[in-house]
Amino acid sequence: MKRLRYLLIVSGIVLWTACGKLDLNPLSDGSSETWNSTADEIEMSLNGFYKHVFWPEDNDEWTDDWIYRDATTPITGATLNGETGFVKDRWTNAYKCIARANNVVQSVERAADVLSEEEIERYAAEARFVRAAQYAYLLSHYGNIVYSDKMLDIDEALELGQSEPAFVLEKIYEDFDYAAEHLKAEFGSGELKRATKGAAYALKARIAAYMGDWITARDAAKDCIDLGVYTLHPNFAELFLSKTKNSPEVVFGFPRSIELKVTKGDAQNYVTRNAGGWAAKDPSWDLFCAFLCTDGKPIDESDVFNPREPFANRDPRCAATIVPFGAEHLGYIYEPHPDTLKVRQVSTGQLVENRDTRSVAEYASFNGLVWKKGIDGDWLLNSWQTEPDKIVIRFADVLLLYAEAKIELNEIDESVINAINQVRARAYGVDPATTDAYPAVTLADQASLRQQVRIERRMEFALEGIRYMDLIRWQLAEKALNKPNYGLLDPADLRAKVTSKDLWFFPETPEIDEDGVADFSALAGAGLIKQLAVRKFDATRQYLWPIPSTEVLTSGLTQNPNY
């Protein structure tokens, strides 16, 4: 029996989650063909959809926002193939979740004697929402996938082939529409929070944008906005901290819990070395240069940008995302300057060895930058386990998807400007109407506004798993990812060529092109920066992932081109 078919077959016993709250620490109980006959059984089945493994983020390390010392990934090294671990795992987990959703959709009528028609529709809607979300991930990443919306016997499963992407997209829309019609708009105090109308609209808008269906993206995003349920979190930096729970900005997401051992891992790689971390996974210079200045201009056009003080006069999200030099961070003053061999420990006021400069610690940040977004003192506790809410999609994304869709349709009006300015004004901590208090976006031509909304997305969503699919759908991956990742010279050369000549931090301002991509070639040619790794992106194949090799070999599926 072929492997993919097994994932879509529900025969006899199906493993489901049996716990009375969101599936943070799942317990597996077997069920029989009579399962889903009561509300409790259906609730248990639905809880199983919220395992974090079923809701993966795209990795920021696949993009130009990222540096991991001198390493590349299967995507940024152009070695992606059907045996790549995440290619296989995400395919398999999505189809596992789809099989469970199909089971609920088809079996929920068993509870007709004990539940109202409205309750049955709501339960079916939640399962269809999950199914749509899983197929949306598969479609946007793999393209040519197998679709089934029912439980299958062996003979039926053997007849399945890959479906046309347009057909799959329409089925995804149907499920999201059903979910939006029958799910709650919001949950009351004390109620278990799961999928809602807004989540269905928001994820429908996202997959529509990914597939270039701007009319559907516009309308779905507008439907979500018009619910009046969601607002932007008042403080951008605080939104991503572990202490911030159930923000009104989160359209769809679910909690993490240290107690239940469901956490955001790998914390040590993001934390500075003075604070006990490794500072190995860091923001790239490409991202750093993408943040606009306070006059709304890119750094190579702004009169207020000073390469000697590169954090000054920048969009506030720059300092909220990347730790500024000389700022207090995790109990120490952060300073990667090669001559700063000691820094102040805030709690004692004493000077201590500065392990955040490569003059002292060889493996301190290779480009001098470290992440700040979402990182707080609690990252140093609990054996490096942290519990910020897992955000799948938030209201800022919905606003910018709406604006982008309207721009692409050339329906440019005040609603477009208002959507972008709501997001930008929040970053500055001001009312969007006070346009003299921040660099408000104004009405302009389609090309200019397209650039504005793309830059806004990059500033807003860094380290949130959004950049990868933005590069893919904008067809910019081949430009952004076929270029070197740069960092600081080794300490002796850095002193001789940069700091001794008063050229710290950037020896000169790099040029930024119309797509927000920085050009460091002049600095590299002058020997003022160091090439760390060469990113590669094969545009002949990598805009889609390969179908896992096991599915091609054992299930007879057709591989995507050039893999």
Side-chain angles (χ1 to χ4, degrees):
M1 181 58 210
K2 297 177 179 179
R3 184 170 172 271
L4 173 60
R5 280 40 171 188
Y6 275 127
L7 297 178
L8 291 171
I9 291 171
V10 179
S11 177
I13 294 175
V14 178
L15 293 181
W16 289 103
T17 301
C19 58
K21 54 188 174 182
L22 279 180
D23 190 6
L24 293 174
N25 190 20
L27 305 172
S28 292
D29 277 353
S31 69
S32 71
E33 294 180 359
T34 64
W35 190 257
N36 292 331
S37 299
T38 69
D40 285 344
E41 289 176 354
I42 297 169
E43 290 280 351
M44 292 177 190
S45 295
L46 294 174
N47 287 344
F49 294 146
Y50 297 96
K51 292 181 178 181
H52 286 235
V53 72
F54 292 148
W55 302 92
E57 290 181 353
D58 288 325
N59 294 352
D60 289 275
E61 64 190 60
W62 302 337
T63 78
D64 55 343
D65 282 358
W66 184 273
I67 181 174
Y68 184 10
R69 295 176 178 158
D70 56 359
T72 59
T73 69
I75 289 177
T76 57
T79 60
L80 191 70
N81 60 61
E83 291 297 304
T84 302
F86 61 78
V87 168
K88 296 188 295 183
D89 291 345
R90 296 188 183 201
W91 173 280
T92 299
N93 288 328
Y95 277 111
K96 284 180 180 178
C97 192
I98 288 165
R100 296 181 176 198
N102 288 343
N103 178 282
V104 172
V105 171
Q106 287 194 250
S107 65
V108 70
E109 290 289 344
R110 295 172 184 165
D113 291 340
V114 294
L115 298 177
S116 68
E117 185 63 26
E118 180 181 1
E119 290 172 316
I120 288 175
E121 288 174 338
R122 179 160 50 83
Y123 286 135
E126 187 166 353
R128 291 183 67 170
F129 164 84
V130 170
R131 181 171 69 191
Q134 297 301 315
Y135 273 126
Y137 191 89
L138 289 168
L139 179 64
S140 60
H141 289 67
Y142 299 89
N144 302 299
I145 63 173
V146 176
Y147 182 87
S148 176
D149 57 6
K150 63 180 182 179
M151 296 180 287
L152 304 171
D153 61 31
I154 292 176
D155 290 336
E156 292 171 324
L158 286 170
E159 294 176 0
L160 278 181
Q162 286 153 294
S163 300
E164 288 293 325
F167 167 80
V168 177
L169 184 60
E170 285 303 314
K171 301 300 287 185
I172 290 169
Y173 288 165
E174 288 177 15
D175 275 350
F176 278 139
D177 288 344
Y178 185 91
E181 180 181 356
H182 295 290
L183 290 174
K184 292 183 176 183
E186 55 187 324
F187 291 91
S189 177
E191 284 190 285
L192 189 63
K193 295 177 173 62
R194 292 198 296 231
T196 59
K197 291 180 183 293
Y201 288 137
L203 291 186
K204 182 182 179 184
R206 175 179 280 176
I207 185 59
Y210 285 1
M211 303 306 291
D213 179 1
W214 297 113
I215 292 175
T216 300
R218 174 200 64 194
D219 294 345
K222 183 69 159 52
D223 286 338
C224 183
I225 293 167
D226 287 348
L227 289 173
V229 172
Y230 308 103
T231 59
L232 295 176
H233 198 85
N235 185 298
F236 175 81
E238 290 182 357
L239 172 60
F240 310 100
L241 301 179
S242 296
K243 67 181 181 183
T244 301
K245 306 295 185 185
N246 297 316
S247 169
E249 184 167 344
V250 177
V251 179
F252 182 62
F254 28 95
R256 292 184 173 97
S257 168
I258 291 174
E259 181 182 1
L260 294 175
K261 297 181 173 59
V262 178
T263 59
K264 182 178 178 66
D266 198 25
Q268 226 166 339
N269 268 317
Y270 297 82
V271 171
T272 50
R273 298 182 76 86
N274 283 334
W278 299 324
K281 296 182 177 181
D282 303 309
S284 66
W285 283 356
D286 308 74
L287 172 63
F288 185 42
C289 291
F291 289 95
L292 300 176
C293 295
T294 51
D295 57 6
K297 297 179 180 180
I299 60 173
D300 64 333
E301 298 178 13
S302 175
D303 292 333
V304 300
F305 179 70
N306 180 357
R308 308 288 86 79
E309 298 179 10
F311 285 92
N313 303 315
R314 303 293 294 279
D315 184 292
R317 286 168 291 193
C318 183
T321 303
I322 302 170
V323 179
F325 305 153
E328 178 185 342
H329 181 60
L330 301 178
Y332 298 86
I333 302 302
Y334 181 72
E335 183 53 73
H337 194 289
D339 294 337
T340 305
L341 304 183
K342 292 185 178 294
V343 293
R344 192 168 305 281
Q345 184 178 30
V346 176
S347 61
T348 65
Q350 301 298 310
L351 291 177
V352 298
E353 183 180 56
N354 180 17
R355 295 187 56 76
D356 286 323
T357 175
R358 296 191 67 217
S359 298
V360 173
E362 179 182 0
Y363 290 100
S365 173
F366 277 26
N367 67 1
L369 304 181
V370 291
W371 293 107
K372 179 175 174 59
K373 191 174 186 178
I375 299 172
D376 204 357
D378 69 328
W379 284 51
L380 314 182
L381 307 173
N382 301 305
S383 300
W384 300 100
Q385 299 301 303
T386 65
E387 55 178 15
D389 284 353
K390 182 181 182 70
I391 300 173
V392 177
I393 192 165
R394 56 186 178 93
F395 191 51
D397 202 351
V398 177
L399 289 170
L400 294 182
L401 285 171
Y402 171 76
E404 184 179 0
K406 294 269 286 183
I407 292 166
E408 293 302 326
L409 293 167
N410 209 16
E411 298 176 351
I412 296 167
D413 56 24
E414 286 294 336
S415 71
V416 172
I417 306 307
N418 291 339
I420 301 172
N421 282 340
Q422 283 185 62
V423 177
R424 184 170 293 188
R426 186 269 298 273
Y428 281 80
V430 299
D431 188 297
T434 59
T435 54
D436 59 344
Y438 70 103
V441 175
T442 56
L443 284 171
D445 61 271
Q446 184 185 41
S448 297
L449 285 173
R450 178 184 292 125
Q451 181 184 32
Q452 288 277 3
V453 78
R454 290 181 177 186
I455 291 171
E456 197 69 25
R457 289 185 65 83
R458 192 173 190 187
M459 295 191 294
E460 180 73 14
F461 300 121
L463 201 58
E464 295 184 54
I466 301 295
R467 176 69 173 169
Y468 173 72
M469 280 305 298
D470 280 354
L471 287 174
I472 294 297
R473 66 193 182 90
W474 295 335
Q475 296 286 293
L476 288 179
E478 58 201 275
K479 174 193 278 193
L481 299 183
N482 275 316
K483 57 195 297 289
N485 217 337
Y486 290 105
L488 298 170
L489 297 172
D490 291 335
D493 287 339
L494 187 62
R495 289 191 180 101
K497 297 181 179 182
V498 176
T499 61
S500 67
K501 300 181 185 301
D502 196 28
L503 297 178
W504 177 265
F505 174 67
F506 277 145
E508 62 183 61
T509 303
E511 292 185 2
I512 313 297
D513 75 7
E514 68 278 3
D515 293 313
V517 177
D519 182 2
F520 296 97
S521 59
L523 285 80
L528 298 175
I529 60 177
K530 180 180 179 180
Q531 178 178 297
L532 301 177
V534 177
R535 291 176 295 218
K536 297 178 181 179
F537 184 88
D538 186 347
T540 68
R541 62 192 183 98
Q542 280 187 245
Y543 279 105
L544 285 178
W545 287 1
I547 307 300
S549 298
T550 50
E551 307 299 351
V552 174
L553 294 173
T554 65
S555 296
L557 301 187
T558 300
Q559 184 57 277
N560 283 327
N562 299 316
Y563 282 105

